[in-house]
Amino acid sequence: MTDDLISTTTDLVREAGARLRSFYAPGNRVATEDQLFAGLRRHDDAVADLLRPALLAALPGSGWEEDEHATGPMAGGDRWVVDPVGGNLNLVHGMTDWNIGVTLVRNGRPDFVVLYAPWSDELFTAVGGGGAYLNGTRMTVSTKTDLALALTGTGQARPSHSAAVARSVGTSMTAMLQHALYVRSSVPVGRELTQVAAGRLDVHWQFENVRSHIGPLLLVREAGGVVTDFDGKPWEVTSTGYVAAAPGVHAAALDVLQRTL
């Protein structure tokens, strides 16, 4: 992977962040379904209209994943996975926790990721085998070894859950509340995974494994974190869920979660 392509992607993501900031206002509110979906589409389109043609041109022959919430195997070759506005609902409602994520997946494996949180001006990057960085400084995950001291959480992977996933989320949070220091449910999930990579959060788990999480999970792994499925096997793009955590608390967190399945 060339440095030029990563640099181009980073510049584009920062430009997309500037576009989104123009839509942000602390007084943003929606009252109707039409207003809600109009706002979501406006933000998504503003980013996608910039990124899609530019990224496809930057890497001739590459493909574009149409649904960042899709699951399962991916097509071969080079594929761009873009989360135009992670936390779009937050932006629509006047909150500051939202980001743009771009991942290049090569033959089913994440090659590099750029995730930008415009409001805090935090740029997270990782290249497979090359470490993870926050604004150019290398990141490492937490060194905690006691789950009782751990900050943990999960989140809503996509706009709607199946009934089975919703039950799993509720049951797992109840269980984790009895073992961890702190448990939260928050979106965007990509942002939560960057917090694990940066050592601010110790554990994050999901009962779904959607496209937009592929890059942030690379950040966690490249920062020294452990990412497995719920059987404890190494995470793959085709996994149905995951536990991403600091090495010192991963096994304990996985044990708690496995007992809820």
Side-chain angles (χ1 to χ4, degrees):
M1 185 52 52
T2 67
D3 290 341
D4 286 347
L5 183 58
I6 297 171
S7 178
T8 295
T9 304
T10 300
D11 290 344
L12 286 166
V13 170
R14 284 191 177 277
E15 184 178 348
R19 287 193 180 189
L20 287 184
R21 284 189 68 111
S22 71
F23 293 120
Y24 171 77
N28 282 356
R29 298 291 184 274
V30 295
T32 68
E33 181 178 339
D34 287 346
Q35 291 173 342
L36 172 63
F37 285 100
L40 296 175
R41 285 192 299 271
R42 177 181 63 174
H43 303 155
D44 275 338
D45 290 347
V47 174
D49 289 349
L50 167 67
L51 294 183
R52 179 168 184 157
L55 290 172
L56 291 175
L59 185 59
S62 59
W64 186 271
E65 287 296 310
E66 295 293 341
D67 182 5
E68 72 270 19
H69 295 130
T71 61
M74 291 182 61
D78 294 335
R79 310 285 297 178
W80 293 105
V81 177
V82 175
D83 191 4
V85 194
N88 201 350
L89 283 171
N90 292 343
L91 176 55
V92 167
H93 288 87
M95 293 182 277
T96 58
D97 205 357
W98 35 272
N99 54 237
I100 304 104
V102 174
T103 306
L104 178 64
V105 178
R106 176 158 283 173
N107 294 320
R109 301 188 68 82
D111 193 72
F112 77 83
V113 57
V114 177
L115 189 146
Y116 182 49
W119 196 254
S120 58
D121 194 27
E122 291 187 318
L123 182 78
F124 299 87
T125 59
V127 177
Y133 295 82
L134 167 54
N135 291 343
T137 299
R138 190 152 190 166
M139 294 188 295
T140 57
V141 295
S142 164
T143 58
K144 287 181 186 174
T145 57
D146 186 352
L147 186 61
L149 299 178
L151 278 63
T152 73
T154 187
Q156 193 166 341
R158 46 187 168 181
S160 61
H161 283 313
S162 68
V165 170
R167 284 192 295 270
S168 295
V169 170
T171 301
S172 66
M173 290 187 69
T174 299
M176 194 63 75
L177 281 164
Q178 300 172 64
H179 295 275
L181 177 66
Y182 176 73
V183 182
R184 69 181 183 182
S185 177
S186 184
V187 293
V189 169
R191 179 67 170 162
E192 296 300 286
L193 290 168
T194 65
Q195 303 310 297
V196 177
R200 300 165 177 167
L201 192 68
D202 305 296
V203 181
H204 185 89
W205 74 92
Q206 289 290 147
F207 291 102
E208 295 174 289
N209 180 34
V210 302
R211 296 275 190 270
S212 60
H213 301 177
I214 291 172
L217 285 169
L218 178 63
L219 283 166
V220 174
R221 290 196 304 187
E222 289 297 326
V226 178
V227 185
T228 69
D229 62 19
F230 286 98
D231 292 325
K233 298 176 182 177
W235 169 84
E236 299 288 346
V237 170
T238 53
S239 299
T240 56
Y242 57 81
V243 182
V249 294
H250 182 275
L254 179 62
D255 181 63
V256 171
L257 296 167
Q258 284 177 331
R259 285 186 271 123
T260 71
L261 298 175

